[in-house]
């Protein structure tokens, strides 16, 4: 407000793009030496834009005002001061616009970098899961992609084809966790490996579980710590399977069945949880008794092995001797049956022969008796030692044949001539 004149209230800037009193004269016009809104001589003696006679400009000064406001906003963002005050913020709008150009370029560079930060690459073993304001939006395949800049969207890159390994009961060179003790260098973890079998024995088991991601959305949003989840579920499954299995089969022939049961039960539980994890393989690394009793257990195993070997030898001997004895018994039975049939046939033949002789005797008694006598004498003489004695010989000593074979055995042959016999015995009948 000027003294002695009317009061003029300026709201904002003047028509030339300057705030009231910016040049120190309170007229709202550019200073005499500062140039007009286009940087020319806008003083009292120079021509003004918009035509002769110094008419007020048209809508172009509004552009200057907009530039001035943008400069002031950039200056405030960068911590700079305004241009008000007597002479200290002087200068034309062109000069002030030129001075704020680096800040504008810097802002443009920041915006470009912000936009460029949205490019991302999905590796061949990964899957891109894009999150929009923290919620799942879509997924991308391997390759180069772009998403809306942060904080609008961000991307997660789970490795969906990589096979992960979870160890139970031991650590193969990995650092120990809170409940496993110091397991560095492949040491055993007794709190996980010692289990109770179905026959109330303690067994030491090391288990390796191999798994991968089969559903990225479930894996990222339903599971907080996948490795610990797989470990807890697999350990629970192996304890349940071992809890109903005796120790001796678990150490020998049931290892493959145990792996199959643990695999199936672990996968069922993970699917029920919606973990998005697929169990590819379960391997029993070691199945032994506890270290404190392993030597005694091995002694028992050796004794059981010896007993099994002796049992097998006895079974082999039995399998050899029993069939032979059964064969001999069958042979004896068959021989007896053959002798029975032969005796029956022989008796039958003799009876038939007797009947035939009887019929012949009844038809011709004299001839039959003579024939029977001759046959009988022939049979007797054929099986005895003949002794011919002269009827006229007197004082003959009785002769006892000591070399007569027992019944059923053939004769040994004619005995040597007896010394007790007279010389005439070998010469035939006496003359």
């Amino acid at each position: 407000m000027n003294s002695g004149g009317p009061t003029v209230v300026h709201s904002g800037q003047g028509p030339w793009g300057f705030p009231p009193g910016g040049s120190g004269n309170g007229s709202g016009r550019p200073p005499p030496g500062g140039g007009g809104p286009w940087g020319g001589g806008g003083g009292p003696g120079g021509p003004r834009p918009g035509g002769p006679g110094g008419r007020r400009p048209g809508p172009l000064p509004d552009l200057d005002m907009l530039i001035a406001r943008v400069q002031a906003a950039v200056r405030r963002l960068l911590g700079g001061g305004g241009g008000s005050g007597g002479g200290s913020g002087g200068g034309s709008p062109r000069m002030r616009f030129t001075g704020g150009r680096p800040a504008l370029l810097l802002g443009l560079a920041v915006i470009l970098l912000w936009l460029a930060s949205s490019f991302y690459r999905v590796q061949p073993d990964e899957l891109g899961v894009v999150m929009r304001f923290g919620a799942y939006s879509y997924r991308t395949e391997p390759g180069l992609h772009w998403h809306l800049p942060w904080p609008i969207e961000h991307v997660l890159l789970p490795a969906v084809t990589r096979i992960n390994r979870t160890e139970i009961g031991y650590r193969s060179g990995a650092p120990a966790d809170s409940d496993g003790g110091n397991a560095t260098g492949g040491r055993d973890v007794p709190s996980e490996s010692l289990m109770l079998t179905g026959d109330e024995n303690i067994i030491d088991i090391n288990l390796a579980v191999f798994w991968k991601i089969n559903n990225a959305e479930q894996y990222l949003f339903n599971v907080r710590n996948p490795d610990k989840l797989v470990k807890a579920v697999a350990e629970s499954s192996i304890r349940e399977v071992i809890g109903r299995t005796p120790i001796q089969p678990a150490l020998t022939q049931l290892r493959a069945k145990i792996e199959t049961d643990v695999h199936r039960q672990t996968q069922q539980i993970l699917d029920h949880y919606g973990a998005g994890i697929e169990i590819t393989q379960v391997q029993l690394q070691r199945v032994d008794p506890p270290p404190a009793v392993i030597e005694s257990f091995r002694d028992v195993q050796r004794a059981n092995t010896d007993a099994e070997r002796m049992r097998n030898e006895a079974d082999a001997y039995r399998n050899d001797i029993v069939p032979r004895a059964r064969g001999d018994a069958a042979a004896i039975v068959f021989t007896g049956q053959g002798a029975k049939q032969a005796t029956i046939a022989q008796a039958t033949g003799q009876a038939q022969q007797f009947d035939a002789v009887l019929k012949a005797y009844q038809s011709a008694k004299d001839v039959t008796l003579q024939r029977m006598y001759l046959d009988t004498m022939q049979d007797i003489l054929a099986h005895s030692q003949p002794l011919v004695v002269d009827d006229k010989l007197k004082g003959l000593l009785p002769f006892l044949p000591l070399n007569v074979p027992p019944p059923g055995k053939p004769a040994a042959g004619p005995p040597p001539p007896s010394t007790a016999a007279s010389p005439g015995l070998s010469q035939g009948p006496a003359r």
Side-chain angles (χ1 to χ4, degrees):
M1 180 177 61
N2 297 328
S3 58
T7 302
V8 179
V9 180
H10 298 275
S11 59
Q13 296 175 341
W16 298 98
F18 293 91
S23 59
N25 55 10
S27 62
R29 295 185 177 182
W38 295 273
R48 293 186 179 182
R55 291 182 299 175
R56 294 184 63 182
L60 291 178
D62 294 338
L63 179 61
D64 295 337
M65 183 174 59
L66 180 61
I67 293 175
R69 288 179 179 177
V70 172
Q71 289 178 349
V74 173
R75 222 178 265 114
R76 283 193 301 269
L77 290 175
L78 297 179
S84 62
S88 61
S92 65
R94 177 181 293 274
M95 294 298 294
R96 284 194 285 178
F97 177 74
T98 304
R101 183 173 297 175
L104 183 60
L105 295 178
L106 179 60
L108 293 176
V110 171
I111 293 174
L112 291 177
L113 290 177
W114 179 59
L115 295 176
S117 64
S118 300
F119 287 96
Y120 65 96
R121 181 187 297 274
V122 181
Q123 298 298 331
D125 63 336
E126 296 176 343
L127 182 67
V129 178
V130 180
M131 311 286 292
R132 181 173 297 170
F133 296 112
Y136 169 75
S137 178
Y138 59 94
R139 62 183 182 180
T140 56
E141 300 297 329
L144 184 64
H145 303 276
W146 184 87
H147 64 85
L148 295 178
W150 182 89
I152 301 175
E153 289 183 350
H154 68 282
V155 63
L156 301 177
L157 301 173
V160 295
T161 61
R162 183 177 60 192
I163 301 298
N164 303 279
R165 176 189 179 105
T166 300
E167 299 169 345
I168 300 174
Y170 73 106
R171 298 295 181 272
S172 58
D177 53 6
S178 58
D179 59 348
N182 184 11
T184 306
R187 296 184 181 181
D188 189 33
V189 184
S191 61
E192 299 176 2
S193 62
L194 295 179
M195 303 178 186
L196 193 64
T197 62
D199 52 358
E200 298 182 357
N201 285 304
I202 299 178
I203 193 170
D204 190 358
I205 291 182
N206 292 342
L207 184 71
V209 181
F210 299 89
W211 55 275
K212 67 177 183 178
I213 303 171
N214 66 345
N215 191 311
E217 292 82 3
Q218 293 181 353
Y219 176 81
L220 293 173
F221 305 128
N222 296 348
V223 179
R224 176 174 296 179
N225 195 322
D227 189 71
K228 286 189 176 181
L229 175 63
V230 173
K231 177 182 173 184
V233 173
E235 183 177 355
S236 175
S237 300
I238 185 65
R239 288 185 183 277
E240 179 178 350
V241 173
I242 292 297
R244 59 174 182 261
T245 305
I247 186 171
Q248 191 62 35
L251 294 173
T252 54
Q253 70 267 19
L254 290 185
R255 291 173 62 103
K257 185 177 183 301
I258 291 173
E259 293 178 351
T260 303
D261 294 343
V262 173
H263 187 174
R264 183 181 65 255
Q265 184 168 340
T266 303
Q267 187 64 60
Q268 290 176 354
I269 296 175
L270 292 175
D271 293 342
H272 177 71
Y273 289 162
I277 294 175
E278 178 185 356
I279 303 297
T280 60
Q281 189 178 9
V282 174
Q283 288 184 355
L284 288 174
Q285 303 295 322
R286 188 185 68 177
V287 182
D288 290 324
V293 297
I294 189 170
E295 292 300 328
S296 300
F297 193 86
R298 287 175 179 172
D299 292 340
V300 174
Q301 280 189 323
R302 284 191 288 267
N304 292 335
T305 303
D306 294 340
E308 186 68 22
R309 178 180 54 80
M310 297 177 67
R311 188 179 299 110
N312 293 335
E313 292 177 355
D315 291 341
Y317 177 75
R318 181 192 64 183
N319 295 334
D320 177 62
I321 196 66
V322 170
R324 288 196 298 169
R326 290 175 178 173
D328 294 342
I332 293 173
V333 171
F334 292 151
T335 302
Q337 291 179 353
K340 171 185 173 183
Q341 298 296 332
T343 303
I344 293 174
Q346 184 178 2
T348 303
Q350 291 177 355
Q352 293 176 356
Q353 182 183 5
F354 180 79
D355 291 341
V357 171
L358 178 60
K359 291 180 180 179
Y361 174 76
Q362 291 176 353
S363 60
K365 295 183 177 181
D366 296 336
V367 178
T368 303
L369 288 175
Q370 185 68 24
R371 183 63 183 173
M372 292 176 62
Y373 175 78
L374 294 176
D375 290 342
T376 301
M377 292 304 297
Q378 182 180 357
D379 185 64
I380 292 173
L381 294 175
H383 294 84
S384 62
Q385 296 179 1
L387 181 64
V388 181
V389 180
D390 191 1
D391 295 338
K392 298 179 180 181
L393 185 63
K394 303 297 183 180
L396 179 64
L397 296 177
F399 176 74
L400 180 62
L402 299 178
N403 58 348
V404 176
K409 290 187 178 180
S418 175
T419 56
S422 61
L425 293 178
S426 59
Q427 297 176 359
R431 294 180 181 179

PDB file of all heavy atoms in Angstrom, residues 169-170 188-189 193 203-207 255 283-289 291:
ATOM      1  N   GLY A 169      18.274 -86.326  11.727  1.00  0.00           N
ATOM      2  CA  GLY A 169      19.143 -87.203  12.506  1.00  0.00           C
ATOM      3  C   GLY A 169      20.616 -86.943  12.331  1.00  0.00           C
ATOM      4  O   GLY A 169      21.428 -87.502  13.076  1.00  0.00           O
ATOM      5  N   TYR A 170      21.010 -86.124  11.381  1.00  0.00           N
ATOM      6  CA  TYR A 170      22.420 -85.821  11.154  1.00  0.00           C
ATOM      7  C   TYR A 170      22.519 -84.521  10.371  1.00  0.00           C
ATOM      8  O   TYR A 170      21.520 -83.997   9.861  1.00  0.00           O
ATOM      9  CB  TYR A 170      23.118 -86.953  10.396  1.00  0.00           C
ATOM     10  CG  TYR A 170      22.736 -87.033   8.938  1.00  0.00           C
ATOM     11  CD1 TYR A 170      23.625 -86.625   7.934  1.00  0.00           C
ATOM     12  CD2 TYR A 170      21.486 -87.502   8.547  1.00  0.00           C
ATOM     13  CE1 TYR A 170      23.265 -86.690   6.597  1.00  0.00           C
ATOM     14  CE2 TYR A 170      21.123 -87.577   7.216  1.00  0.00           C
ATOM     15  CZ  TYR A 170      22.018 -87.176   6.251  1.00  0.00           C
ATOM     16  OH  TYR A 170      21.663 -87.243   4.939  1.00  0.00           O
ATOM     17  N   ASP A 188      26.246 -86.717  14.073  1.00  0.00           N
ATOM     18  CA  ASP A 188      24.911 -87.216  14.369  1.00  0.00           C
ATOM     19  C   ASP A 188      24.195 -86.256  15.311  1.00  0.00           C
ATOM     20  O   ASP A 188      24.817 -85.559  16.112  1.00  0.00           O
ATOM     21  CB  ASP A 188      25.023 -88.604  15.001  1.00  0.00           C
ATOM     22  CG  ASP A 188      23.669 -89.263  15.124  1.00  0.00           C
ATOM     23  OD1 ASP A 188      22.824 -89.022  14.251  1.00  0.00           O
ATOM     24  OD2 ASP A 188      23.460 -90.011  16.097  1.00  0.00           O
ATOM     25  N   VAL A 189      22.854 -86.232  15.201  1.00  0.00           N
ATOM     26  CA  VAL A 189      22.005 -85.409  16.076  1.00  0.00           C
ATOM     27  C   VAL A 189      21.128 -86.383  16.850  1.00  0.00           C
ATOM     28  O   VAL A 189      20.065 -86.798  16.361  1.00  0.00           O
ATOM     29  CB  VAL A 189      21.162 -84.409  15.263  1.00  0.00           C
ATOM     30  CG1 VAL A 189      20.381 -83.502  16.203  1.00  0.00           C
ATOM     31  CG2 VAL A 189      22.050 -83.589  14.348  1.00  0.00           C
ATOM     32  N   SER A 193      17.692 -88.566  15.827  1.00  0.00           N
ATOM     33  CA  SER A 193      17.954 -89.884  15.236  1.00  0.00           C
ATOM     34  C   SER A 193      17.507 -91.047  16.111  1.00  0.00           C
ATOM     35  O   SER A 193      17.235 -92.127  15.589  1.00  0.00           O
ATOM     36  CB  SER A 193      19.449 -90.027  14.936  1.00  0.00           C
ATOM     37  OG  SER A 193      20.209 -89.937  16.135  1.00  0.00           O
ATOM     38  N   ILE A 203      16.491 -97.422  18.252  1.00  0.00           N
ATOM     39  CA  ILE A 203      17.215 -97.534  16.989  1.00  0.00           C
ATOM     40  C   ILE A 203      17.693 -96.144  16.584  1.00  0.00           C
ATOM     41  O   ILE A 203      17.063 -95.135  16.911  1.00  0.00           O
ATOM     42  CB  ILE A 203      16.304 -98.150  15.902  1.00  0.00           C
ATOM     43  CG1 ILE A 203      17.110 -98.570  14.692  1.00  0.00           C
ATOM     44  CG2 ILE A 203      15.201 -97.205  15.514  1.00  0.00           C
ATOM     45  CD1 ILE A 203      16.316 -99.388  13.703  1.00  0.00           C
ATOM     46  N   ASP A 204      18.813 -96.094  15.905  1.00  0.00           N
ATOM     47  CA  ASP A 204      19.430 -94.840  15.454  1.00  0.00           C
ATOM     48  C   ASP A 204      19.268 -94.753  13.939  1.00  0.00           C
ATOM     49  O   ASP A 204      19.835 -95.564  13.203  1.00  0.00           O
ATOM     50  CB  ASP A 204      20.908 -94.814  15.849  1.00  0.00           C
ATOM     51  CG  ASP A 204      21.530 -93.443  15.622  1.00  0.00           C
ATOM     52  OD1 ASP A 204      20.820 -92.548  15.121  1.00  0.00           O
ATOM     53  OD2 ASP A 204      22.725 -93.264  15.939  1.00  0.00           O
ATOM     54  N   ILE A 205      18.487 -93.754  13.475  1.00  0.00           N
ATOM     55  CA  ILE A 205      18.146 -93.644  12.057  1.00  0.00           C
ATOM     56  C   ILE A 205      18.542 -92.268  11.541  1.00  0.00           C
ATOM     57  O   ILE A 205      18.258 -91.251  12.188  1.00  0.00           O
ATOM     58  CB  ILE A 205      16.638 -93.880  11.820  1.00  0.00           C
ATOM     59  CG1 ILE A 205      16.294 -95.339  12.076  1.00  0.00           C
ATOM     60  CG2 ILE A 205      16.242 -93.517  10.406  1.00  0.00           C
ATOM     61  CD1 ILE A 205      14.853 -95.672  11.817  1.00  0.00           C
ATOM     62  N   ASN A 206      19.192 -92.240  10.387  1.00  0.00           N
ATOM     63  CA  ASN A 206      19.474 -91.000   9.654  1.00  0.00           C
ATOM     64  C   ASN A 206      18.674 -91.020   8.361  1.00  0.00           C
ATOM     65  O   ASN A 206      18.709 -92.000   7.613  1.00  0.00           O
ATOM     66  CB  ASN A 206      20.966 -90.868   9.349  1.00  0.00           C
ATOM     67  CG  ASN A 206      21.788 -90.653  10.607  1.00  0.00           C
ATOM     68  OD1 ASN A 206      21.249 -90.283  11.652  1.00  0.00           O
ATOM     69  ND2 ASN A 206      23.079 -90.890  10.521  1.00  0.00           N
ATOM     70  N   LEU A 207      17.969 -89.913   8.104  1.00  0.00           N
ATOM     71  CA  LEU A 207      17.037 -89.852   6.978  1.00  0.00           C
ATOM     72  C   LEU A 207      17.289 -88.593   6.171  1.00  0.00           C
ATOM     73  O   LEU A 207      17.529 -87.521   6.737  1.00  0.00           O
ATOM     74  CB  LEU A 207      15.591 -89.872   7.494  1.00  0.00           C
ATOM     75  CG  LEU A 207      14.478 -89.899   6.457  1.00  0.00           C
ATOM     76  CD1 LEU A 207      14.444 -91.251   5.771  1.00  0.00           C
ATOM     77  CD2 LEU A 207      13.136 -89.608   7.108  1.00  0.00           C
ATOM     78  N   ARG A 255      13.693-102.047   4.963  1.00  0.00           N
ATOM     79  CA  ARG A 255      14.182-100.686   4.717  1.00  0.00           C
ATOM     80  C   ARG A 255      13.433-100.027   3.556  1.00  0.00           C
ATOM     81  O   ARG A 255      13.032 -98.859   3.641  1.00  0.00           O
ATOM     82  CB  ARG A 255      15.684-100.723   4.430  1.00  0.00           C
ATOM     83  CG  ARG A 255      16.534-101.100   5.634  1.00  0.00           C
ATOM     84  CD  ARG A 255      17.991-101.293   5.225  1.00  0.00           C
ATOM     85  NE  ARG A 255      18.544-100.083   4.701  1.00  0.00           N
ATOM     86  CZ  ARG A 255      19.374 -99.274   5.372  1.00  0.00           C
ATOM     87  NH1 ARG A 255      19.708 -99.569   6.613  1.00  0.00           N
ATOM     88  NH2 ARG A 255      19.854 -98.192   4.826  1.00  0.00           N
ATOM     89  N   GLN A 283      15.359 -91.216   1.545  1.00  0.00           N
ATOM     90  CA  GLN A 283      16.466 -92.170   1.627  1.00  0.00           C
ATOM     91  C   GLN A 283      16.860 -92.379   3.086  1.00  0.00           C
ATOM     92  O   GLN A 283      17.081 -91.413   3.822  1.00  0.00           O
ATOM     93  CB  GLN A 283      17.687 -91.672   0.847  1.00  0.00           C
ATOM     94  CG  GLN A 283      17.538 -91.721  -0.657  1.00  0.00           C
ATOM     95  CD  GLN A 283      18.804 -91.305  -1.373  1.00  0.00           C
ATOM     96  OE1 GLN A 283      19.786 -90.886  -0.742  1.00  0.00           O
ATOM     97  NE2 GLN A 283      18.805 -91.396  -2.685  1.00  0.00           N
ATOM     98  N   LEU A 284      16.950 -93.654   3.484  1.00  0.00           N
ATOM     99  CA  LEU A 284      17.492 -94.001   4.790  1.00  0.00           C
ATOM    100  C   LEU A 284      19.012 -94.066   4.673  1.00  0.00           C
ATOM    101  O   LEU A 284      19.552 -94.937   3.999  1.00  0.00           O
ATOM    102  CB  LEU A 284      16.931 -95.350   5.255  1.00  0.00           C
ATOM    103  CG  LEU A 284      15.463 -95.363   5.685  1.00  0.00           C
ATOM    104  CD1 LEU A 284      15.021 -96.779   5.983  1.00  0.00           C
ATOM    105  CD2 LEU A 284      15.257 -94.486   6.900  1.00  0.00           C
ATOM    106  N   GLN A 285      19.687 -93.133   5.302  1.00  0.00           N
ATOM    107  CA  GLN A 285      21.134 -93.088   5.212  1.00  0.00           C
ATOM    108  C   GLN A 285      21.798 -94.118   6.131  1.00  0.00           C
ATOM    109  O   GLN A 285      22.799 -94.711   5.779  1.00  0.00           O
ATOM    110  CB  GLN A 285      21.633 -91.680   5.574  1.00  0.00           C
ATOM    111  CG  GLN A 285      21.040 -90.578   4.716  1.00  0.00           C
ATOM    112  CD  GLN A 285      21.453 -90.693   3.263  1.00  0.00           C
ATOM    113  OE1 GLN A 285      22.586 -91.055   2.960  1.00  0.00           O
ATOM    114  NE2 GLN A 285      20.532 -90.397   2.363  1.00  0.00           N
ATOM    115  N   ARG A 286      21.226 -94.317   7.315  1.00  0.00           N
ATOM    116  CA  ARG A 286      21.808 -95.269   8.267  1.00  0.00           C
ATOM    117  C   ARG A 286      20.716 -95.765   9.190  1.00  0.00           C
ATOM    118  O   ARG A 286      19.877 -94.988   9.659  1.00  0.00           O
ATOM    119  CB  ARG A 286      22.917 -94.614   9.090  1.00  0.00           C
ATOM    120  CG  ARG A 286      23.684 -95.603   9.963  1.00  0.00           C
ATOM    121  CD  ARG A 286      24.688 -94.896  10.848  1.00  0.00           C
ATOM    122  NE  ARG A 286      24.023 -94.090  11.869  1.00  0.00           N
ATOM    123  CZ  ARG A 286      24.662 -93.410  12.814  1.00  0.00           C
ATOM    124  NH1 ARG A 286      25.979 -93.398  12.817  1.00  0.00           N
ATOM    125  NH2 ARG A 286      23.994 -92.703  13.709  1.00  0.00           N
ATOM    126  N   VAL A 287      20.713 -97.077   9.446  1.00  0.00           N
ATOM    127  CA  VAL A 287      19.788 -97.693  10.393  1.00  0.00           C
ATOM    128  C   VAL A 287      20.612 -98.633  11.263  1.00  0.00           C
ATOM    129  O   VAL A 287      20.995 -99.723  10.825  1.00  0.00           O
ATOM    130  CB  VAL A 287      18.656 -98.451   9.667  1.00  0.00           C
ATOM    131  CG1 VAL A 287      17.688 -99.044  10.679  1.00  0.00           C
ATOM    132  CG2 VAL A 287      17.916 -97.538   8.707  1.00  0.00           C
ATOM    133  N   ASP A 288      20.911 -98.222  12.488  1.00  0.00           N
ATOM    134  CA  ASP A 288      21.766 -98.978  13.392  1.00  0.00           C
ATOM    135  C   ASP A 288      21.209 -98.897  14.806  1.00  0.00           C
ATOM    136  O   ASP A 288      20.423 -97.994  15.127  1.00  0.00           O
ATOM    137  CB  ASP A 288      23.198 -98.429  13.390  1.00  0.00           C
ATOM    138  CG  ASP A 288      23.919 -98.704  12.082  1.00  0.00           C
ATOM    139  OD1 ASP A 288      23.683 -99.776  11.500  1.00  0.00           O
ATOM    140  OD2 ASP A 288      24.708 -97.843  11.649  1.00  0.00           O
ATOM    141  N   PRO A 289      21.654 -99.807  15.674  1.00  0.00           N
ATOM    142  CA  PRO A 289      21.346 -99.646  17.095  1.00  0.00           C
ATOM    143  C   PRO A 289      22.090 -98.435  17.658  1.00  0.00           C
ATOM    144  O   PRO A 289      22.986 -97.879  17.018  1.00  0.00           O
ATOM    145  CB  PRO A 289      21.841-100.957  17.717  1.00  0.00           C
ATOM    146  CG  PRO A 289      21.967-101.900  16.577  1.00  0.00           C
ATOM    147  CD  PRO A 289      22.310-101.076  15.379  1.00  0.00           C
ATOM    148  N   PRO A 291      24.819 -96.166  19.549  1.00  0.00           N
ATOM    149  CA  PRO A 291      26.270 -96.418  19.653  1.00  0.00           C
ATOM    150  C   PRO A 291      26.678 -97.088  20.944  1.00  0.00           C
ATOM    151  O   PRO A 291      27.663 -97.831  20.972  1.00  0.00           O
ATOM    152  CB  PRO A 291      26.870 -95.008  19.529  1.00  0.00           C
ATOM    153  CG  PRO A 291      25.827 -94.204  18.814  1.00  0.00           C
ATOM    154  CD  PRO A 291      24.519 -94.758  19.250  1.00  0.00           C
TER     155      PRO A 291
END
